[in-house]
Amino acid sequence: METYDIYFSDGRLSDNKGFAIRSSEKAIHMAEDMLVKGNTYIDDYAGGTISVVSSEGKTVWSRPIPKK
């Protein structure tokens, strides 16, 4: 079964949450919430991107992370 995780990148570094979310819709909703509410990854990767990536390696959603 395909699962989804949330990735952060700023061109130099990248990181992921380590989730195994079963639906892309739920993962996208969680990522959108992170952009609105913020968290340490959003702060650390400001100016970079937040993405939802499937366990098959396909990016299904991506948005820029606003700079502070």
Side-chain angles (χ1 to χ4, degrees):
M1 175 191 347
E2 195 167 37
T3 60
Y4 301 87
D5 196 2
I6 300 172
Y7 282 76
F8 303 85
S9 176
D10 68 1
R12 297 177 301 115
L13 302 170
S14 66
D15 212 338
N16 66 300
K17 294 294 284 182
F19 295 142
I21 302 165
R22 294 184 183 184
S23 86
S24 61
E25 293 84 8
K26 182 174 181 180
I28 291 168
H29 180 72
M30 289 175 68
E32 290 173 334
D33 280 351
M34 288 178 190
L35 275 174
V36 171
K37 296 176 184 175
N39 69 17
T40 56
Y41 285 107
I42 296 297
D43 293 342
D44 291 347
Y45 290 94
T49 59
I50 181 173
S51 304
V52 173
V53 180
S54 75
S55 54
E56 303 296 320
K58 180 181 174 191
T59 300
V60 297
W61 178 91
S62 184
R63 296 289 182 273
I65 301 171
K67 291 183 179 181
K68 296 179 184 180

